[in-house]
Amino acid sequence: MKILFIGDVQGQSNINKLERVVPGIRAARGIDLVVVNGENSADGNGITPYSAKMLFERAGADIITTGNHAFKRKEMDSMFNERAEVIRPENYGEYCPGKGFCIIDFGYCSLCVVNIMGNHFMPACDNPFRCMDMVLEKLKNTTKNIIVDFHAEATAEKKAMAYYLAGKVSAVIGTHTHVQTADEQIIGGHTAFITDVGMVGAVDSVIGANKNVVSVFTDYYPQKHTYAEGESEFNAVLIEIDTVSGRALSLVRIRELV
């Protein structure tokens, strides 16, 4: 099975750009499932029902993951409850809208995508390592094919999670920092890992945001979050797994200019 995992999408204009890229990759590489991190897909930050709908209909997403901006837009709460294919970090806890994992049945096999969030330099949430223990207990009789979106700031925490889950999941894919890393590997011959898959956002930007945010670091005065325009980079990874064992066979980085 081949899974295309696309990095954090920055605003509506970049959803439109995905429409130019994803169908071709899906056809050329025989993609079975497309996962997109959409927590920044709405103009003005966060995710809305409209931006989620566009990710499904125009960007070809099968599952949408999120992160620390999951609940930034209150109008999204009902969609988290109603659409199983839109997930939020599982370790936000049971009192938040939605769920943190989604199981897809392909007939010949099933696959689960799990969304969790790191503790370090991130909003308060439950321990992600203990949370994954509980998720894996729930899935032990369901599927061995498990893709984890670990939305975290600290690179060490991401790598630690990869070793913690080695042999237990098919892939641990880091999101949140918007910069694609060059450390893709298969840990223990089983679990694919990359510290960060990157983003779909403007090249001439500060991790997707307009360059006026530079003043935040010089003058300390808050700036309205707006997404930069212009040529964008499309960052993703292609994961191939053996659906009988759940073992990752390969992990390939993709970076294209759009």
Side-chain angles (χ1 to χ4, degrees), residues 46-61:
I47 182 171
T48 63
Y50 178 75
S51 68
K53 181 173 182 285
M54 291 299 98
L55 285 172
F56 284 128
E57 295 183 358
R58 302 185 66 176

Side-chain angles (χ1 to χ4, degrees), residues 221-238:
Y221 190 78
Q223 289 286 340
K224 182 179 179 181
H225 188 104
T226 57
Y227 295 115
E229 299 294 336
E231 184 179 50
S232 292
E233 56 182 288
F234 168 81
N235 292 165
V237 290
L238 175 59

Side-chain angles (χ1 to χ4, degrees), residues 232-247:
S232 292
E233 56 182 288
F234 168 81
N235 292 165
V237 290
L238 175 59
I239 312 156
E240 185 172 5
I241 63 174
D242 170 38
T243 57
V244 175
S245 64
R247 180 171 64 92

Side-chain angles (χ1 to χ4, degrees), residues 116-137:
I116 52 172
M117 190 164 71
N119 277 153
H120 294 273
F121 314 112
M122 298 291 280
C125 59
D126 295 339
N127 184 291
F129 294 84
R130 301 302 174 219
C131 178
M132 280 305 307
D133 287 341
M134 291 186 284
V135 171
L136 293 176
E137 179 64 23

Side-chain angles (χ1 to χ4, degrees), residues 89-144:
E90 174 71 6
N91 53 330
Y92 261 137
E94 61 181 306
Y95 297 105
C96 291
K99 294 183 178 180
F101 60 92
C102 175
I103 299 171
I104 302 293
D105 186 356
F106 290 90
Y108 63 93
C109 76
S110 60
L111 178 142
C112 182
V113 177
V114 184
N115 199 179
I116 52 172
M117 190 164 71
N119 277 153
H120 294 273
F121 314 112
M122 298 291 280
C125 59
D126 295 339
N127 184 291
F129 294 84
R130 301 302 174 219
C131 178
M132 280 305 307
D133 287 341
M134 291 186 284
V135 171
L136 293 176
E137 179 64 23
K138 294 175 184 178
L139 296 175
K140 66 180 181 180
N141 296 319
T142 303
T143 184
K144 296 179 180 179

